[in-house]
Amino acid sequence: MLTCALLAALYFSFRKNPSEAHVMTNPSASTPQKTEAFRLDGRHALVTGGASGIGEATVRELVRAGAFVWIADINVPAAEALASELGSAKAIHLDVTSPDSIAAAAAKLDRLDILVNNAGIGHVGSIETTDIEDFDRLLNVNVRAVFLVSKGFLPLLFQAAEQHEALGSIVNVASVSGLVGIKQRFAYCMSKGAVVSMTRQMAVEYPTKLRVNAVCPGTVQTPFVEAYLEKYHKDCKEETRADLRARQPVGRLGRPEEVASLIRYLASDEAAFTTGSLMVVDGGWTAA
């Protein structure tokens, strides 16, 4: 009875003064609203392997969101060309497997809010056909490098909250290969599974100092995939490309921009409650 009486009183009060009712029921009217979601204005980001593929698309997307982006790559001319085109970006040489190179790059930065660990390599083979040298190479580039780069830039990322209220953010580019078993991808699945584990561990280690998430793409149309087709399926590229499309229920390869958009979200304030998450963008592959 009391609740009904209160509601009735409020109803008649609003009828007497509709303008007041509008203010009470529309609190956002006096609150400044963002003109665009997932903005990164004033943020500084660094993308490894940023000169091509998903890395390049991510650089473009973060710049479009308002961030200043360091394009970290061993291909400095390509990184410089991209930086020149975009404006709010700068190329920086970075060998993700070299502690000295990482230290030199970190010394050139005075702040960092967003780190995207994108650089990586692939390999085809079962455990029987994978050479020790190839296994070690994937371990070095896809796993050890994520450790080295994250560790090297961690002090700057911890300081991010001093520049603004948001925590520093790491987004690792993992893969569906780190979530499910894929034939002839023994070493690659191993390496991306490690990236998934590092993402989760760091998220629980530093919940109030840093956000750490990962994107897990399916097969995406990039120079990475083209190099794979050239190396392993030179005589049947189109047939293999059709097979790659078919294993993803949507019937096509992903686009780098689709992965980049998800990375932008994870780096933004809208994802402030998101850490330790593995965001799958695979055309339905792992759901099938």
Side-chain angles (χ1 to χ4, degrees):
M1 291 291 293
L2 181 61
T3 301
C4 292
L6 178 59
L7 289 172
L10 287 171
Y11 170 74
F12 286 112
S13 173
F14 291 166
R15 287 192 62 187
K16 289 180 181 179
N17 192 347
S19 62
E20 183 178 344
H22 174 73
V23 172
M24 293 180 68
T25 57
N26 186 22
S28 64
S30 60
T31 303
Q33 299 294 304
K34 287 186 176 181
T35 57
E36 182 183 350
F38 319 130
R39 293 296 303 175
L40 298 171
D41 301 285
R43 306 292 168 85
H44 287 223
L46 184 143
V47 181
T48 68
S52 67
I54 292 174
E56 177 185 349
T58 299
V59 169
R60 292 181 181 277
E61 185 66 19
L62 298 186
V63 168
R64 191 167 73 87
F68 173 84
V69 183
W70 290 94
I71 308 170
D73 210 293
I74 55 174
N75 187 346
V76 176
E80 288 176 339
L82 180 58
S84 178
E85 175 191 343
L86 296 177
S88 184
K90 189 172 182 179
I92 187 169
H93 177 269
L94 182 64
D95 177 353
V96 296
T97 67
S98 167
D100 289 341
S101 179
I102 295 167
K108 295 178 181 178
L109 278 61
D110 57 4
R111 59 173 291 195
L112 185 65
D113 306 296
I114 302 158
L115 171 64
V116 181
N117 282 311
N118 166 72
I121 57 174
H123 181 262
V124 174
S126 67
I127 187 171
E128 294 176 285
T129 61
T130 299
D131 294 333
I132 294 174
E133 293 77 13
D134 288 329
F135 184 90
D136 288 345
R137 186 166 57 91
L138 263 75
L139 194 63
N140 194 34
V141 177
N142 291 2
V143 181
R144 185 172 178 268
V146 173
F147 157 67
L148 291 174
V149 173
S150 298
K151 185 177 178 68
F153 288 100
L154 208 57
L156 288 171
L157 290 165
F158 282 161
Q159 295 169 16
E162 298 175 5
Q163 305 291 332
H164 41 72
E165 293 183 359
L167 299 178
S169 173
I170 295 178
V171 182
N172 294 321
V173 179
S175 167
V176 295
S177 302
L179 305 176
V180 298
I182 301 174
K183 290 182 178 180
Q184 294 297 307
R185 298 293 187 277
F186 172 72
Y188 190 67
C189 285
M190 172 279 302
S191 68
K192 291 302 182 177
V195 173
V196 165
S197 291
M198 284 191 284
T199 299
R200 286 172 161 163
Q201 196 285 326
M202 289 182 67
V204 299
E205 190 76 51
Y206 306 109
T208 62
K209 299 177 67 176
L210 185 70
R211 291 191 305 109
V212 188
N213 295 286
V215 293
C216 299
T219 306
V220 179
Q221 184 60 58
T222 63
F224 181 93
V225 170
E226 288 304 313
Y228 154 75
L229 292 172
E230 178 67 23
K231 182 175 181 179
Y232 296 102
H233 302 282
K234 189 173 184 178
D235 297 328
C236 54
K237 280 187 180 181
E238 293 313 310
E239 294 89 339
T240 304
R241 197 190 308 275
D243 290 341
L244 295 178
R245 293 193 193 103
R247 72 183 180 185
Q248 301 180 138
V250 298
R252 66 172 175 86
L253 301 184
R255 294 188 289 269
E257 295 77 16
E258 292 168 324
V259 181
S261 295
L262 189 52
I263 292 173
R264 171 179 172 176
Y265 162 71
L266 289 172
S268 72
D269 290 348
E270 283 81 355
F273 196 56
T274 304
T275 192
S277 293
L278 312 173
M279 299 290 194
V280 177
V281 50
D282 68 351
W285 181 356
T286 54

